[in-house]
Amino acid sequence: MLLLLNFGGLFGQNMTPAIIVSVETMLERWKGQEGKEIEVYNEFRLLTSEVISRTAFGSNYLEGEKIFAMLNKLTILVSQNISKTKIPFINKLWKSAEMLESENLEKGIQDYVMEMIKKREDKVVSGEADSFGNDFLGLLVNAYHDLDDKNRVSLEDLVGECKTIYFAGQETVNSLLAWIVLHLAIHGDWQEKARREVIDIFGNQNPHLEGIAKLKIMTMIINETLRLYGPSNGLPRTVAREVQLGKLVLPANIDVLSLNIGLHRDPHLWGDDVHHFKPERFAEGIAKATNYTAAAFFPFGFGPRSCVGMTLATIETKIALSMILQRYTITISPAYVHSPMPILTIRPRHGIQIILEPLHSC
């Protein structure tokens, strides 16, 4: 957890140029698609994969493609089986095909992570590098070799943190960007408000951290999209000790799933227009929007267990949206079919098809 927090701090300061380069690569690819239909969910999958590969692991999407594919398969399997009852004794005697596939994927991911670590170690041993690096993987490898038992991380923790940052840095931003672009394509008035704000702050220049902090309208749009289509369906938690929750008594050592969509779409908290896209709800901040009910809005978790990828997701989203709005108007394609699908994150079952028109002729 501490390493993830360190990476969150490093991200805003040092990773912005890498994000901009990745977005520019995507926008260069889009130049040949102007006026044509583009499926942006997959486009943003490539973008966010490239960003997390560059910023956290010092590589690129092609090098990390294998682990992204394995994590995607594992995510689908976990989602399909999250509600199934598991009987420990039976599971030791007999394993389903899905369980065996999950174990193979887990081993494949661990092998891939160990391969990345060995490359870093070999460079230091051979004298090709004088450190393991200052990106997220470098922090992990340093901690893996730490001489102090209190600071050293185990192999299990190392692999787990790599999986977390891959997922938090790729899957959540992928979904968030796609749903925001859909809403901006439908709600042209908010698209234009966001564009005017971006142009006022950045002009035609690339985004910078000082300006990103001033994007009030975009923050409202992001929060409203997170409310309607948050990056997770709910928060799985294990009950450490017996606790009373309202009229329920929850015994220790059971798993519970808190569905944030139930609170995010509760008309008693948000009003009768709870299902409508209305970013103005957040004009005076989250506290005022929720009537100071902290648990009414928790797209990235709540309390000390909040997702450490929140800063990464927000900054990357703002940079990508700013650079898109500086160049294009967005409209929805007639081919789009609305069918959100919960697979840990909320994904569009049939993708999100839009049409981009350039703001300025080149």
Side-chain angles (χ1 to χ4, degrees):
M1 178 64 72
L2 179 59
L3 288 169
L4 285 170
L5 290 171
N6 285 343
F7 179 68
L10 286 170
F11 176 83
Q13 300 171 25
N14 303 328
M15 307 304 181
T16 303
I19 299 172
I20 290 173
V21 169
S22 298
V23 176
E24 286 176 336
T25 301
M26 178 186 72
L27 294 173
E28 187 66 28
R29 191 168 61 246
W30 285 5
K31 284 184 178 179
Q33 302 296 318
E34 292 170 353
K36 302 176 184 177
E37 181 182 283
I38 295 179
E39 199 288 287
V40 289
Y41 182 79
N42 188 57
E43 287 291 317
F44 291 143
R45 180 181 64 82
L46 295 174
L47 168 66
T48 53
S49 299
E50 179 75 14
V51 168
I52 198 62
S53 295
R54 283 179 184 271
T55 58
F57 299 99
S59 61
N60 57 46
Y61 170 68
L62 291 177
E63 291 179 27
E65 186 174 13
K66 186 176 179 181
I67 196 169
F68 285 120
M70 289 189 290
L71 280 168
N72 186 54
K73 286 184 182 178
L74 188 60
T75 298
I76 293 171
L77 286 172
V78 169
S79 178
Q80 290 172 342
N81 292 278
I82 197 168
S83 300
K84 291 184 179 179
T85 302
K86 297 178 178 61
I87 305 173
F89 179 71
I90 296 295
N91 286 342
K92 287 183 179 180
L93 297 176
W94 176 84
K95 294 181 180 179
S96 66
E98 290 178 340
M99 190 178 296
L100 289 172
E101 185 179 2
S102 295
E103 289 180 356
N104 287 334
L105 287 169
E106 291 275 9
K107 184 179 183 304
I109 292 167
Q110 178 171 315
D111 290 346
Y112 184 86
V113 171
M114 290 306 299
E115 185 181 325
M116 289 194 299
I117 292 168
K118 189 173 186 307
K119 285 181 181 178
R120 296 284 176 106
E121 291 172 333
D122 288 347
K123 285 184 177 181
V124 172
V125 171
S126 67
E128 187 179 341
D130 56 7
S131 73
F132 296 123
N134 59 3
D135 57 6
F136 180 67
L137 182 58
L139 290 173
L140 276 176
V141 179
N142 273 309
Y144 183 54
H145 288 281
D146 201 303
L147 298 177
D148 187 340
D149 290 343
K150 294 179 180 178
N151 296 326
R152 188 185 307 136
V153 298
S154 66
L155 175 61
E156 183 181 0
D157 287 340
L158 187 155
V159 174
E161 296 224 23
C162 280
K163 286 164 56 180
T164 298
I165 200 65
Y166 261 120
F167 182 82
Q170 190 271 326
E171 180 69 23
T172 56
V173 186
N174 183 179
S175 297
L176 177 57
L177 274 170
W179 292 119
I180 291 174
V181 165
L182 172 68
H183 283 108
L184 293 182
I186 295 171
H187 302 276
D189 53 339
W190 281 103
Q191 181 182 159
E192 190 52 38
K193 289 176 185 178
R195 180 178 293 107
R196 283 201 303 267
E197 179 180 63
V198 168
I199 300 299
D200 286 345
I201 293 174
F202 302 120
N204 292 321
Q205 302 301 309
N206 284 333
H208 47 78
L209 284 178
E210 182 183 353
I212 288 169
K214 298 176 182 177
L215 292 170
K216 180 181 177 181
I217 290 173
M218 190 177 291
T219 299
M220 292 159 54
I221 291 168
I222 289 172
N223 283 337
E224 180 67 347
T225 305
L226 287 170
R227 185 185 70 82
L228 292 169
Y229 299 96
S232 67
N233 301 322
L235 299 174
R237 292 290 184 262
T238 299
V239 180
R241 56 180 174 79
E242 182 178 299
V243 63
Q244 183 160 353
L245 188 65
K247 296 181 180 179
L248 297 175
V249 176
L250 304 180
N253 302 317
I254 67 167
D255 296 327
V256 295
L257 182 64
S258 170
L259 295 176
N260 50 19
I261 193 171
L263 288 167
H264 288 180
R265 291 183 179 249
D266 186 344
H268 298 292
L269 294 169
W270 300 96
D272 293 337
D273 57 359
V274 64
H275 300 301
H276 297 172
F277 179 75
K278 296 185 70 175
E280 61 266 31
R281 300 179 204 276
F282 293 94
E284 297 181 63
I286 293 173
K288 189 70 180 291
T290 59
N291 198 24
Y292 302 96
T293 306
F297 183 69
F298 55 102
F300 290 101
F302 189 67
R305 291 289 184 178
S306 294
C307 176
V308 292
M310 179 170 60
T311 300
L312 184 154
T314 304
I315 295 178
E316 185 181 344
T317 297
K318 288 182 176 181
I319 290 174
L321 287 175
S322 295
M323 294 175 71
I324 292 169
L325 291 170
Q326 285 172 322
R327 293 163 173 80
Y328 295 108
T329 58
I330 310 164
T331 55
I332 194 73
S333 167
Y336 174 70
V337 176
H338 192 62
S339 183
M341 175 177 61
I343 301 183
L344 294 190
T345 59
I346 306 295
R347 300 182 182 183
R349 185 185 301 271
H350 307 294
I352 294 177
Q353 296 78 22
I354 62 165
I355 297 171
L356 297 171
E357 295 290 350
L359 285 177
H360 312 289
S361 57
C362 299

